[in-house]
Amino acid sequence: MSHAGWHTGARLWPGSAHGRLLAYNDSGVEAECIFREGEKTLFNIMSTGYGNDTTERGFAVWSARPGALGAIDPGVTRLEVADAEGVVVRAEIVAHTFAVDVDLGPAPQTIDEVFAPWEPPDLTVRVYGESDALRYEGPLLTR
């Protein structure tokens, strides 16, 4: 695989030696890089992209726990997430990607945990567009 055409996207590094970085290629390929201290970096590469449509809500979540990472529509200028107590966390936006460090519960540690039923917390996302107009408000994650 060539490095040509790859661009870094948003990253999430929640105060530890572990982190995640989104990347995309001009060809439409998208990827998530997962960094873990003392271990090899994992690359989740989607050859046809993640396939999440951003037109209706302005965003699509590609990866969750810890935090949430994904894509945003070209017109999105700001994305923020509020918890049940009203605490708001603003997402990092890089190119057409976002990352937001919010508590979604513990990250799965085993393959069984990855595929186990999981109840995401109630978090509200607000997506803003041109002139800082509210474009969408609703759940960050759908069940």
Side-chain angles (χ1 to χ4, degrees):
M1 178 182 275
S2 169
H3 292 92
W6 281 98
H7 307 277
T8 57
R11 69 183 178 98
L12 188 61
W13 220 276
S16 71
H18 298 104
R20 297 186 343 232
L21 169 75
L22 298 182
Y24 61 95
N25 191 282
D26 295 333
S27 68
V29 176
E30 296 168 335
E32 177 185 21
C33 306
I34 302 171
F35 303 95
R36 303 166 301 160
E37 184 176 23
E39 299 182 45
K40 291 183 178 180
T41 301
L42 296 175
F43 298 97
N44 297 323
I45 299 174
M46 303 300 283
S47 61
T48 57
Y50 281 84
N52 296 317
D53 186 8
T54 60
T55 54
E56 183 180 331
R57 299 187 318 159
F59 77 102
V61 175
W62 292 352
S63 178
R65 291 196 306 176
L69 299 96
I72 57 168
D73 228 25
V76 171
T77 58
R78 182 167 49 116
L79 184 146
E80 60 187 29
V81 177
D83 66 15
E85 286 79 41
V87 176
V88 175
V89 178
R90 193 168 179 167
E92 173 190 41
I93 293 178
V94 177
H96 71 276
T97 64
F98 78 91
V100 61
D101 188 10
V102 291
D103 185 10
L104 296 173
Q109 300 298 310
T110 67
I111 194 70
D112 290 335
E113 290 177 0
V114 169
F115 294 105
W118 169 63
E119 191 70 29
D122 289 326
L123 297 172
T124 301
V125 64
R126 292 184 197 101
V127 180
Y128 297 87
E130 294 179 29
S131 302
D132 211 32
L134 182 63
R135 177 174 168 174
Y136 174 83
E137 181 174 13
L140 173 67
L141 301 172
T142 55
R143 297 167 198 225

